[in-house]
Amino acid sequence: MILYELFSFDFLRVVWWILLGVLLIGFALTDGFDMGVGALLPFVGKTDSERRVAINTIGPVWEGNQVWFILGGGAIFAAWPPLYAVSFSGFYLAMFLVLAALILRPVGFKYRSKRESAAWRNGWDWALFVGGAVPALVFGVAVGNVLQGVPFELNDMLMPLYPGNFIMKLLGLLNPYALLAGVVSLSMLLMHGAAWLTLKTEGPVQERARAIGSVAGMVAFITYILAGIWLAFGIKGYQITSVVPADGPSNPLFSTVEHSGSWMQAYADRPWIAIAPILGLAGIALATMGLRAGREVSTLLWSKLGIFGVISSVGLTMFPFILPSSKQPDASLTVWDSSSSHQTLFVMLVCALIFMPIILAYTAWVYKVLWGKVTVEDVERDSHSVY
C-alpha cells in the first residue's frame, strides 16, 4: 500500500510509456536481425548449404526474440486499452499482412529441409524472404502514418470510427511519406541482419552480407535524414492547447488539440532529445563503416545503437502523443489520457519488475550457449537437421 501511494498516476503513465518503448526497441534489436537475415537469405546464399548456414544463425533464437513482439502487444492491450482498440482497428490490414508474413517464418523453418528437392527448398527460401522483408517494411509504413496522424474519430462512447471504404483505407496507408519511413525501416533491418551474419558466419556468406549490408546502411542513413527533413518542413505536428491534468481520467475528448505547427517544436522545448537522432545517425554510419571494414562484434553493437536512436527519436519527438488523429485532433491519444487505471498500471509494474529480469537473464544465457560461428561444415555434417 505504501509503494502504491509512492507511485503517482502520472509517474506510472510515463513509466509505462517508457516500458512500451523498451519493448518495441527490444523487439527491433533482437527479432530485427532475424527479419533482416530472412530478407537477405536468397541473396547471401547461392547454394543450399550456404542458405542453411544463414538459416541456422537465427533458427535457434528467433522464437525467443519474437517474445518481445508478444510482450509489446500485451503491454498495449493492458496499459493502453484505447491505443490497442484504435491502432488494431485502424491498422487492421497492415496487422493482417504482418501476421500472414510472420506465419511463413516458422513454417519455412520447419518444412524447408523436409525434402531434398531444390525447387521445394527454393520456394521456402523465398517464403522466408517474405517473412522478413514484409514486416520490416510494414512496421516502418505504420510509423510513417502515425507521425502524420491516423484518420480516426471517437464518438461520445469513445468508440473509434474510421471513415472510408476498404480501398481508400489501404491507399491511405500507402502514402509517400509512410513508404519512405518503410524504406528506412527495411534498409535499417537489412543492415542489422547483415551485421548479425557478419558475426555468425564466414566465407562467401559473410562477404555477401557485408557487401549488401553496407549498401543497406547507406540507404538507411540517407532516407532517415530525408524523412527527418520532410517531417520538419512538410508535415504538420500536433499541439495540446488546453490544460490536461497528468493524473486526470483516461478520456482523450477532455483535451483540446491543434493540428498545426511542426513536430520539431519538441526539440525547442526539450533540446536534450536531439541525442536520439544523433545516436541513430552515428550508429548507422559506424555500423556501415564496420561492415565495409570487416569488423564483427562492434558492427553489431553499432547497428543496435542506430536502431535504438531511430526508434527513440520517434517516441521523443511525439511525446506526449501516442497516436494523433488527423480526422479529429481532439481525439488524439496521449500519455495523459489513454492509459489504464492507476491500480492496473501499478500491478503491471510489479509484475514487470519481477519477470523482466528473468527474461533478460534467460536470453543472455541462451546467446552465451549459442555463441560462435555457423559453418558450412556444421550444416553438411547433419544434412537432415531441422534447419
Side-chain angles (χ1 to χ4, degrees):
M1 189 64 177
I2 297 177
L3 287 176
Y4 177 76
E5 294 175 351
L6 284 176
F7 293 108
S8 63
F9 197 10
D10 55 337
F11 174 78
L12 288 173
R13 280 171 161 166
V14 174
V15 167
W16 272 103
W17 173 79
I18 294 173
L19 286 177
L20 178 60
V22 168
L23 293 173
L24 296 179
I25 292 172
F27 170 64
L29 295 182
T30 54
D31 208 40
F33 65 71
D34 294 340
M35 290 186 285
V37 171
L40 291 170
L41 182 61
F43 312 105
V44 298
K46 299 302 182 181
T47 67
D48 180 66
S49 294
E50 289 176 353
R51 291 185 178 184
R52 290 186 66 218
V53 166
I55 291 172
N56 274 272
T57 66
I58 60 174
V61 298
W62 74 269
E63 290 176 294
N65 293 339
Q66 199 158 278
V67 167
W68 292 96
F69 184 51
I70 298 170
L71 289 174
I76 293 175
F77 173 77
W80 309 98
L83 175 62
Y84 180 87
V86 174
S87 62
F88 277 63
S89 298
F91 293 111
Y92 179 82
L93 298 175
M95 294 287 184
F96 180 84
L97 186 60
V98 167
L99 292 177
L102 289 178
I103 288 171
L104 293 175
R105 186 160 54 173
V107 178
F109 286 147
K110 298 302 181 184
Y111 282 92
R112 182 191 184 277
S113 295
K114 297 300 183 183
R115 294 177 59 184
E116 296 290 343
S117 168
W120 171 270
R121 294 189 173 188
N122 187 61
W124 284 116
D125 289 340
W126 282 102
L128 291 172
F129 164 80
V130 172
V134 169
L137 177 67
V138 172
F139 287 139
V141 169
V143 171
N145 278 284
V146 169
L147 284 167
Q148 296 174 89
V150 180
F152 70 91
E153 299 174 318
L154 294 178
N155 62 19
D156 293 339
M157 300 298 293
L158 299 183
M159 179 183 297
L161 303 172
Y162 288 85
N165 56 37
F166 176 88
I167 299 298
M168 293 301 296
K169 291 179 181 178
L170 180 60
L171 293 177
L173 292 176
L174 301 177
N175 58 78
Y177 184 78
L179 291 174
L180 176 61
V183 173
V184 175
S185 175
L186 177 59
S187 58
M188 185 170 63
L189 294 187
L190 286 175
M191 176 195 71
H192 198 40
W196 175 256
L197 288 174
T198 298
L199 176 66
K200 294 290 290 184
T201 66
E202 57 187 26
V205 174
Q206 186 188 62
E207 293 172 5
R208 295 185 194 112
R210 285 173 177 166
I212 298 172
S214 60
V215 174
M218 288 187 285
V219 172
F221 187 87
I222 293 170
T223 53
Y224 181 55
I225 292 176
L226 291 176
I229 295 173
W230 193 339
L231 185 68
F233 299 103
I235 294 177
K236 292 182 180 179
Y238 289 80
Q239 309 290 332
I240 299 176
T241 58
S242 62
V243 177
V244 180
D247 58 352
S250 292
N251 188 335
L253 298 180
F254 283 179
S255 59
T256 302
V257 176
E258 287 187 0
H259 186 194
S260 62
S262 170
W263 283 120
M264 296 301 108
Q265 181 61 37
Y267 293 88
D269 297 337
R270 306 185 301 275
W272 61 270
I273 68 174
I275 188 64
I278 291 173
L279 289 178
L281 290 171
I284 292 173
L286 291 169
T288 303
M289 290 187 289
L291 286 166
R292 296 177 67 87
R295 291 187 287 271
E296 297 181 358
V297 175
S298 62
T299 298
L300 184 62
L301 295 177
W302 288 127
S303 179
K304 289 180 181 292
L305 179 67
I307 293 173
F308 171 81
V310 169
I311 298 177
S312 297
S313 67
V314 175
L316 291 171
T317 299
M318 291 181 60
F319 184 88
F321 289 93
I322 303 177
L323 189 66
S325 169
S326 59
K327 186 71 175 178
Q328 182 188 4
D330 288 349
S332 299
L333 307 183
T334 74
V335 172
W336 312 125
D337 58 22
S338 58
S339 73
S340 292
S341 67
H342 187 181
Q343 184 176 9
T344 300
L345 295 182
F346 175 76
V347 172
M348 288 177 60
L349 180 60
V350 173
C351 294
L353 292 175
I354 295 172
F355 291 106
M356 283 294 291
I358 298 174
I359 294 173
L360 292 172
Y362 176 76
T363 301
W365 177 78
V366 168
Y367 279 94
K368 179 181 179 181
V369 170
L370 297 174
W371 187 259
K373 291 184 178 291
V374 179
T375 65
V376 172
E377 291 75 18
D378 292 331
V379 299
E380 290 182 343
R381 190 179 302 121
D382 185 8
S383 60
H384 297 286
S385 64
V386 175
Y387 303 115

